[in-house]
Amino acid sequence: MNHDPLLPFGRRDLPTGASLLNSPLLNKLTAFSERERDILRLRGLLPPRIFNMQEQAERSLIQFRRKNSALEKYIFLTTLQNRNETLFYRLLLNHIEEMMPIIYTPTVGEACLEYGSIFRQPRGLWINIRDKGRIAEVLRNWTNKDARIIVVTDGERILGLGDLGALGMGIPIGKLALYTACAGIHPYYCLPICLDVGTDNEKLLSDPLYIGLQQKRVRGAAYEEFIEEFMQAMKEVFPKALVQFEDFGNNNAFSLLHKYQNKACCFNDDIQGTAAVALAGLISATRLTGKPLKEQTLLFFGAGEAGTGIGEYFVSALREEGVSETDARKRCWFVDSKGLLVKNRGDKLSAHKQAFAQDGKYVKTFAEAVEQIKPTAIIGVAGVGPTFTKDILEKMAAYNERPIIFALSNPTSKAECTAEEAYLATKGKAVFASGSPFAPVEYNGKTFVPGQGNNVYIFPGVGLGALASQSATVTDSMFLAAARTLAAQVNEDDLAHGRIYPHLNSIRSISIQIAAAVAEEAYDKGLARRERPKDLVADIKSQVFEPVYQDYL
Ligand code: NAD
């Protein structure tokens, strides 16, 4: 990689005048110097006073905070991103805790729902099923010729919000902004893609402002051929790119991952990223509960991409600690929409669920399952809203000295319980983490800081490590290494406040540590396509993008 902001242009063919002001990667707005204004034909196009980036960031922050709703803040930030990316990333990095919930969960969910009505300017590539047969040609229309990180969705399962079709584009855009903010991947290398194969969302199909194809979702062989052509075209047009699958429907997510995991540089964040961040949380939680991972019994509410993905990584982690696969699986229980996942349940189980079907008595509800299994941890990943009732939380506190309560469903309205409910019902004993952020909670004179099991702790670092080593594939062992590296970054002060993830302010250094661990795996397993540098961390640090202005002359 290279972090020269002039990358796409070269100094000689730098655009000038209004074209320069319309190039978000190059635009400095009022920060262009007198000389740049003369030579780059900007004189008169900008007000006379020159401001530095710090001053511009202060002004932008005032404008941001003046917006009354989260959605308006989102619109403000995306508009800034489309005007001046360097300033956008400076602002984001300076205020990451405040702005992350705006550019990503929970606000991005709201933004996707409203995408048709707030749509102003296209960003990313829209490839629809009618482009079949010429996907490579569409990819070549992308302005940047060397995309290295591609986040792609087909919009079928956006966060916990269901099928949003083409409105799902907000997700790849948001995730890629996090790649740059959190791991320093140059925005030039980032490409968001929305695959539009139609939607089964009736509300969208009848919405006159809907921006996607107004047809039912294409499924089966035609869908698979479309994806196959897309993956082939990616290899041809962007041979150095990593593809991150994002928010695909349950069955497609698993089948695409299995199909491409070993033959392309790709991963699925909803399955692998979620699994790694939750595993890191469980590893940190053991430092508070005093019970090692191999003595934990997990009960999941929801057996989809997130739940079974976490289960699989938990099993892998126990195997690394010497537990047999059979014994490790016995420690993972699931409740899905049909009740407790047991072998004699009578319905046909999909492959990802079969691996976790237990020999046990069937019960229908989650509350009954809690009573029967008496787990050490409950993990909510069903996306159906408040289900960890006061009664369930009290029972968890009765069974465990320090019960682990993860309410991971997004957005906030879909969380299984709030942080406050968890701490209050367990009298401050809960080790709590959530998918969407919750404010600290005061209980009995103590402040509890809920951890956010945000995938942003994992995927940017994994992507950076895979790119830095030019790994041919992205393996599960890389995600396990990332989880252990993340857990190791949690310090005693974090734990003293009940926080099982490190502070987001240090996300860049966390991502670099994770990238080094991932790259190490790539070198160890012979997957790297780049010579190993002597000092991996120093090498990765030297490649990251810093949002600072360059002198163009
Ligand atoms: P999914 O659609 O793959 O799985 C949902 C699962 O929930 C399915 O097994 C389904 O059977 C089950 N379910 C649905 N309704 C139910 C009910 N009433 N009772 C019991 N089970 C029910 O979705 P997913 O990708 O696994 O995501 C699930 C949730 O997890 C979403 O809200 C998502 O936002 C959240 N998530 C959080 C994180 C994070 O915190 N880092 C990461 C990924 C996903």
Side-chain angles (χ1 to χ4, degrees):
M1 282 191 290
N2 175 328
H3 58 277
D4 184 348
L6 296 177
L7 212 54
F9 304 94
R11 273 163 214 270
R12 268 205 218 120
D13 46 13
L14 197 66
T16 57
S19 305
L20 180 54
L21 296 182
N22 287 326
S23 303
L25 276 174
L26 299 171
N27 193 6
K28 300 197 266 183
L29 295 167
T30 53
F32 281 107
S33 67
E34 295 289 1
R35 228 177 126 239
E36 285 172 328
R37 289 171 189 223
D38 277 337
I39 294 174
L40 299 172
R41 296 168 185 258
L42 294 168
R43 194 149 296 282
L45 299 183
L46 292 162
R49 192 159 154 213
I50 293 171
F51 292 87
N52 63 30
M53 183 183 267
Q54 186 53 33
E55 291 162 330
Q56 291 180 325
E58 279 164 25
R59 190 200 331 262
S60 298
L61 185 63
I62 293 170
Q63 293 170 352
F64 171 83
R65 289 191 177 150
R66 207 179 273 156
K67 303 290 174 196
N68 292 326
S69 70
L71 188 62
E72 279 182 39
K73 289 181 179 187
Y74 175 89
I75 294 169
F76 171 79
L77 286 178
T78 43
T79 309
L80 179 62
Q81 185 183 16
N82 288 335
R83 200 168 60 236
N84 179 341
E85 290 204 51
T86 320
L87 181 59
F88 166 77
Y89 284 111
R90 176 78 279 145
L91 191 66
L92 193 54
L93 267 178
N94 287 355
H95 306 278
I96 192 92
E97 298 234 12
E98 182 177 356
M99 294 184 182
M100 183 108 81
I102 303 295
I103 62 157
Y104 210 65
T105 53
T107 309
V108 76
E110 195 188 339
C112 284
L113 287 169
E114 299 287 334
Y115 214 76
S117 59
I118 64 174
F119 184 77
R120 281 160 169 72
Q121 194 178 340
R123 190 178 185 86
L125 271 180
W126 309 79
I127 303 176
N128 73 67
I129 191 83
R130 295 176 200 164
D131 295 323
K132 213 166 159 187
R134 49 177 202 165
I135 296 179
E137 188 189 322
V138 179
L139 289 175
R140 286 197 184 91
N141 286 344
W142 180 239
T143 34
N144 304 342
K145 299 299 163 218
D146 188 13
R148 301 270 180 103
I149 293 257
I150 289 160
V151 179
V152 60
T153 187
D154 73 353
E156 188 174 6
R157 200 243 47 190
I158 295 300
L159 304 169
L161 301 167
D163 184 351
L164 298 188
L167 306 187
M169 182 55 124
I171 297 293
I173 292 173
K175 283 251 153 143
L176 284 163
L178 296 180
Y179 263 113
T180 302
C182 302
I185 290 174
H186 196 293
Y188 174 72
Y189 290 130
C190 299
L191 168 53
I193 296 185
C194 181
L195 299 177
D196 186 347
V197 296
T199 178
D200 290 342
N201 183 329
E202 293 297 339
K203 209 170 144 212
L204 295 181
L205 288 174
S206 58
D207 178 355
L209 291 182
Y210 179 56
I211 54 174
L213 289 184
Q214 289 185 293
Q215 65 172 61
K216 287 271 188 193
R217 251 176 208 282
V218 170
R219 298 188 185 276
Y223 176 86
E224 279 160 33
E225 282 162 23
F226 177 65
I227 300 284
E228 176 63 19
E229 185 189 333
F230 168 71
M231 292 301 285
Q232 290 297 337
M234 293 297 305
K235 266 196 180 162
E236 186 188 322
V237 181
F238 301 121
K240 289 183 179 165
L242 177 158
V243 177
Q244 175 173 327
F245 296 114
E246 194 67 40
D247 285 1
F248 282 72
N250 199 300
N251 287 334
N252 288 334
F254 285 108
S255 66
L256 293 181
L257 181 61
H258 291 146
K259 184 164 178 192
Y260 294 107
Q261 184 169 39
N262 297 322
K263 52 182 184 184
C265 184
C266 66
F267 70 89
N268 181 307
D269 185 51
D270 306 300
I271 300 172
Q272 297 163 289
T274 305
V277 80
L279 177 63
L282 288 169
I283 295 171
S284 303
T286 61
R287 287 162 68 187
L288 285 169
T289 63
K291 259 193 183 178
L293 215 51
K294 56 185 170 198
E295 287 176 25
Q296 302 289 341
T297 303
L298 317 184
L299 173 61
F300 292 83
F301 182 63
E305 294 169 46
T308 57
I310 300 169
E312 290 297 345
Y313 279 10
F314 176 74
V315 169
S316 301
L318 291 202
R319 292 189 67 199
E320 281 181 0
E321 294 178 12
V323 180
S324 73
E325 167 139 7
T326 315
D327 288 347
R329 287 197 184 273
K330 283 186 185 152
R331 297 198 156 268
C332 288
W333 293 79
F334 288 82
V335 169
D336 66 8
S337 53
K338 299 201 177 73
L340 189 63
L341 194 54
V342 286
K343 284 184 186 147
N344 61 0
R345 199 167 78 170
D347 57 328
K348 192 173 174 307
L349 300 175
S350 46
H352 62 280
K353 290 186 186 180
Q354 263 168 29
F356 288 106
Q358 302 278 14
D359 291 308
K361 187 179 143 222
Y362 171 77
V363 290
K364 186 150 183 24
T365 68
F366 186 68
E368 290 170 300
V370 170
E371 273 182 36
Q372 179 172 303
I373 292 150
K374 300 192 173 46
T376 57
I378 50 175
I379 301 176
V381 273
V384 291
T387 32
F388 290 177
T389 59
K390 186 162 176 278
D391 184 49
I392 287 174
L393 294 168
E394 282 173 354
K395 286 214 168 91
M396 284 300 289
Y399 303 147
N400 299 282
E401 191 58 42
R402 300 291 310 268
I404 298 173
I405 313 287
F406 285 2
L408 297 183
S409 290
N410 294 312
T412 318
S413 60
K414 304 277 181 184
E416 286 70 19
C417 66
T418 65
E420 191 171 20
E421 286 162 353
Y423 291 124
L424 261 57
T426 61
K427 301 196 164 54
K429 287 163 123 198
V431 178
F432 178 83
S434 55
S436 296
F438 282 105
V441 175
E442 298 285 334
Y443 178 77
N444 245 351
K446 199 174 164 196
T447 305
F448 294 88
V449 185
Q452 190 192 351
N454 193 329
N455 293 28
V456 79
Y457 282 116
I458 294 284
F459 72 81
V462 170
L464 180 62
L467 287 199
S469 56
Q470 285 176 23
S471 186
T473 58
V474 182
T475 62
D476 286 323
S477 63
M478 292 177 183
F479 279 95
L480 289 174
R484 292 200 188 276
T485 307
L486 173 59
Q489 313 282 315
V490 178
N491 61 35
E492 292 304 318
D493 181 56
D494 293 323
L495 291 177
H497 290 92
R499 198 164 47 213
I500 53 169
Y501 291 100
H503 215 282
L504 268 179
N505 285 349
S506 46
I507 187 67
R508 277 234 166 162
S509 76
I510 296 167
S511 297
I512 287 168
Q513 295 301 329
I514 290 178
V518 166
E520 194 71 70
E521 267 292 308
Y523 286 107
D524 278 1
K525 301 273 156 63
L527 293 167
R529 291 172 293 182
R530 179 174 173 250
E531 204 179 315
R532 192 189 193 291
K534 272 206 189 82
D535 182 341
L536 263 180
V537 171
D539 176 68
I540 290 168
K541 274 188 185 162
S542 74
Q543 299 185 43
V544 303
F545 162 81
E546 292 296 340
V548 288
Y549 290 142
Q550 306 290 317
D551 187 349
Y552 293 156
L553 301 175

